[in-house]
């Protein structure tokens, strides 16, 4: 599994991590097995949120018995809870559900109505209390990041988690360049388009399949390798079973050639910059 530095101040962590939205909806035993297999194969970056139902409880089961130490555990506060006091109590609830003493990174899930100053003050307080090691944001466009930078200063924002998959490349216009300039990690969520992975019968799906066949890998691995071709980018696919987790982990050692990247760029064009940042 390839590792790289998570923002300017963060540790080196796995480029491919594990998402957990809806992981609590199916068979819990299979979900725990999926997360454990993923961890064994090096996908030690685990993403969750207070919004994801019982996902934090599923993770707690998966990491019980001494597996917590080598993980990079991330959770998120809902914007409706992101006041100074609300952020602290939301974080404490997540720590309790995850059965852990600290999060490696804590994110504002998307921008809401509480002033950024309040949420950032709460994040700083949580760092001082040893309850989180760093903080970041999610679904922030370049303009939001400018405002956040003026509140928090350089070096404070660990990451921006945003929608990024083959068919949705809007962040390449302004968000990725902004994050690269300021040493902020970009975390690609829904890297398979949530439930909309390219069909093998479509023109673009055939281009993807051709590369996968030539390399003897899966189309999912090719998709993840394409997204993480940019050094600031990490990806967090969600897998509901151990086979899918193993498939995704193998993308952590796949590097695409220039001509393969060009072929994917043609099949899944970036498109014009949208007026607002797409989110799920
Ligand atoms: P995703 O990772 O793009 O896709 C998940 C789907 O792909 C599931 O149906 C899964 O099926 C399937 N899948 C996974 N690996 C596969 C494989 N190797 N072969 C075939 N199918 C495979 O969707 P997502 O859950 O929306 O995004 C990933 C994570 O990003 C979330 O879980 C969450 O942690 C985060 N996220 C964050 C935000 C935000 O606002 N910050 C928004 C959305 C998502 P199985 O379940 O059957 O394996």
């Amino acid at each position: 599994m390839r590792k790289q530095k998570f923002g300017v101040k963060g540790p080196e962590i796995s480029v491919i991590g594990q998402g957990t939205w809806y992981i609590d909806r199916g068979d819990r035993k299979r979900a725990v097995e999926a997360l454990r297999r993923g961890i064994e194969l090096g996908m030690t970056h685990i993403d969750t949120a207070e919004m994801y139902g019982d996902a934090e409880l599923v993770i707690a089961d998966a990491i019980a018995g001494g597996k917590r130490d080598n993980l990079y555990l991330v959770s998120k506060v809902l914007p409706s809870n992101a006041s100074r006091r609300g952020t602290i109590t939301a974080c404490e609830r997540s720590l309790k559900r995850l059965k852990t003493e600290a999060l490696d990174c804590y994110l504002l899930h998307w921008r809401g109505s509480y002033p950024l100053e309040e949420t950032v003050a709460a994040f700083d307080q949580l760092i001082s209390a040893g309850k989180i090691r760093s903080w970041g944001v999610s679904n922030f466009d370049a303009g939001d990041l400018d405002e956040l930078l003026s509140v928090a200063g350089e070096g404070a924002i660990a990451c921006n988690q945003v929608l990024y998959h083959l068919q949705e490349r809007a962040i390449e216009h302004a968000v990725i360049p902004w994050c690269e300039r300021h040493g902020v990690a970009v975390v690609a969520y829904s890297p398979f388009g949530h439930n909309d992975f390219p069909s093998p019968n479509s023109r673009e799906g055939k281009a993807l399949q051709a590369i996968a066949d030539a390399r003897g890998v899966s189309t999912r691995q090719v998709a993840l390798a394409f997204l993480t071709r940019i050094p600031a980018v990490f990806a967090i696919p969600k897998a509901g079973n151990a086979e899918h987790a193993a498939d995704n982990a193998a993308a952590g050692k796949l590097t695409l050639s220039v001509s393969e990247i060009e072929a994917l760029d043609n099949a899944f064009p970036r498109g014009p910059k949208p007026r607002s940042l797409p989110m799920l």
Side-chain angles (χ1 to χ4, degrees), residues 38 82 92 97 99 129 155 173 184 202 210 217-218 234 237 274:
E92 285 166 349
R97 282 196 295 261
K99 297 198 178 111
H173 290 284
V184 172
S202 63
V217 298
S218 72
F234 297 76

Side-chain angles (χ1 to χ4, degrees), residues 68-86:
R68 164 69 182 98
D69 288 356
N70 301 320
L71 301 180
Y72 195 83
L73 204 49
V74 180
S75 192
K76 312 184 195 81
V77 58
L78 278 167
S80 53
N81 288 335
S83 63
R84 173 107 195 222
R85 179 180 282 271

Side-chain angles (χ1 to χ4, degrees), residues 20-21 47 138-139 161 190 192 194 236 238 240 244 247-248:
T20 62
W21 193 21
D47 178 76
S138 177
N139 297 300
Q161 186 181 119
S190 301
F192 300 145
H194 192 61
I236 46 167
K238 174 258 175 184
H244 285 173
D247 189 33
N248 299 340

Side-chain angles (χ1 to χ4, degrees), residues 113-124:
S113 53
Y114 286 108
L116 292 173
E117 286 82 354
E118 269 204 49
T119 315
V120 169
F123 286 154
D124 287 340

Side-chain angles (χ1 to χ4, degrees), residues 101-279:
E101 301 205 334
L103 291 169
D104 295 282
C105 198
Y106 195 40
L107 314 186
L108 173 59
H109 209 144
W110 62 90
R111 200 170 173 183
S113 53
Y114 286 108
L116 292 173
E117 286 82 354
E118 269 204 49
T119 315
V120 169
F123 286 154
D124 287 340
Q125 193 177 327
L126 285 165
I127 289 182
S128 301
K131 292 181 177 167
I132 66 172
R133 301 197 175 101
S134 67
W135 63 265
V137 288
S138 177
N139 297 300
F140 268 46
D141 207 343
D144 301 309
L145 289 165
D146 280 334
E147 277 183 58
L148 181 63
L149 187 69
S150 70
V151 170
E154 288 286 351
I157 312 162
C159 69
N160 185 22
Q161 186 181 119
V162 277
L163 180 64
Y164 188 36
H165 56 86
L166 283 169
Q167 298 170 102
E168 182 47 83
R169 297 174 56 193
I171 63 162
E172 290 181 17
H173 290 284
V175 171
I176 292 180
W178 193 101
C179 290
E180 285 173 335
R181 276 197 306 281
H182 296 282
V184 172
V186 176
V187 180
Y189 76 66
S190 301
F192 300 145
H194 192 61
N195 285 323
D196 192 21
F197 195 69
S199 148
N201 302 320
S202 63
R203 186 189 58 83
E204 353 28 293
K206 283 180 183 151
L208 186 59
Q209 191 68 56
I211 295 170
D213 289 347
R215 296 293 292 264
V217 298
S218 72
T219 49
R220 304 269 171 167
Q221 288 170 30
V222 174
L224 293 173
F226 180 79
L227 303 179
T228 57
R229 76 201 183 282
I230 300 168
V233 177
F234 297 76
I236 46 167
K238 174 258 175 184
N241 61 63
E243 293 70 34
H244 285 173
D247 189 33
N248 299 340
K253 53 181 190 318
L254 178 65
T255 305
L256 299 175
S257 69
V258 173
S259 62
E260 287 166 336
I261 289 170
E262 267 172 22
L264 291 168
D265 193 35
N266 289 330
F268 299 92
R270 179 190 292 191
K273 184 175 184 290
R275 225 174 255 184
S276 60
L277 188 71
M279 60 185 278

